[in-house]
Amino acid sequence: VVIPKPGSTTNYYIITVPENGAVGMRYSEVDMTLNGGNGEVLPTNKNTLLFAPSSEKVTVVKHANGVYYWIIGRGNSTSKMYYSFLVDCNGVNTNAIQSNVGLTNGENWGYLVGSPDGTKLASASSGSGIEITDFNPTTGVVSNPINLGTLSYGGHTGGNYGVAFSPNSNVLYATSITNWALVQWDLTAANIPSTETFIGYAAGNGASRPSYRGGALQLASDGKI
């Protein structure tokens, strides 16, 4: 994930995560005035550790004040922990807001995304399943997890991977990387898990399940996924 440094028109943060493990979530700062205007990573802020061990999950949500940001990640493997880091005009605060809620993080694969309105997070863990939580964009606290289960279609269960919100934050979509299913939930319903609706199967080269198809989802600036 890449975000602008609050209060700056020239500097950006790049937040990176490994597939899993001890490498951890890290950030680097790029100054676009350096290297003849092509930009350069600042040696004093290169691959700075935020926490470890981490999974491959990372997302950014805008702070409630509309200026700052929250960097959010999840712990590795058996961890339930969500980690939120405040990014303000002074830089990245490496002291995390920790929320120990929800499902354990399965095999670490899978996306973490924030809703466009900044009030919810969705997390997909390959083995454990998919969950949605509340997010407080003022405090960085994650709460009220709802287990949406694991995707079981085409005779194969699991491989939960991609998640994306609709532009109005009222619908959640998810994919399985191994059984190819694309599904949706109505987040305005009283019983969200019961609204799971199968949309179809992702296209790809796999001849039979389990085989990688589908994968990540991304809400684009034109409002389409």
Side-chain angles (χ1 to χ4, degrees):
V1 176
V2 181
I3 55 172
K5 181 178 183 178
S8 173
T9 59
T10 61
N11 287 34
Y12 296 82
Y13 293 115
I14 303 172
I15 303 99
T16 58
V17 286
E19 179 186 349
N20 63 71
V23 172
M25 178 184 282
R26 297 173 180 265
Y27 77 93
S28 299
E29 184 175 352
V30 173
D31 184 342
M32 293 304 298
T33 66
L34 301 178
N35 192 26
N38 290 317
E40 191 171 284
V41 176
L42 298 179
T44 54
N45 253 356
K46 182 177 182 179
N47 289 327
T48 303
L49 180 67
L50 289 173
F51 77 98
S54 74
S55 65
E56 70 174 11
K57 294 172 175 57
V58 57
T59 193
V60 168
V61 173
K62 207 141 198 191
H63 191 281
N65 65 16
V67 179
Y68 303 162
Y69 295 91
W70 292 101
I71 300 168
I72 308 158
R74 293 207 66 186
N76 173 268
S77 194
T78 60
S79 175
K80 296 181 180 181
M81 196 73 73
Y82 287 81
Y83 296 82
S84 303
F85 299 89
L86 179 64
V87 184
D88 60 19
C89 297
N90 295 316
V92 179
N93 186 337
T94 57
N95 295 314
I97 304 298
Q98 299 183 28
S99 304
N100 190 27
V101 298
L103 296 167
T104 56
N105 198 18
E107 291 81 28
N108 304 296
W109 306 353
Y111 267 54
L112 172 68
V113 297
S115 60
D117 66 6
T119 65
K120 296 185 184 301
L121 300 175
S123 177
S125 293
S126 177
S128 301
I130 298 166
E131 71 178 4
I132 188 165
T133 64
D134 290 340
F135 181 73
N136 187 320
T138 300
T139 65
V141 172
V142 181
S143 61
N144 301 322
I146 298 174
N147 185 353
L148 301 180
T150 189
L151 300 184
S152 184
Y153 293 90
H156 188 75
T157 298
N160 315 292
Y161 197 82
V163 279
F165 288 90
S166 61
N168 63 8
S169 303
N170 289 338
V171 180
L172 178 69
Y173 300 88
T175 56
S176 166
I177 200 171
T178 54
N179 66 39
W180 319 337
L182 171 65
V183 303
Q184 71 177 41
W185 293 268
D186 179 358
L187 303 182
T188 67
N191 185 342
I192 295 172
S194 70
T195 67
E196 181 176 325
T197 302
F198 174 72
I199 297 174
Y201 290 114
N205 297 321
S208 62
R209 300 174 182 87
S211 178
Y212 290 165
R213 286 192 188 182
L217 297 172
Q218 183 73 46
L219 178 63
S221 57
D222 63 358
K224 296 182 179 181
I225 297 172

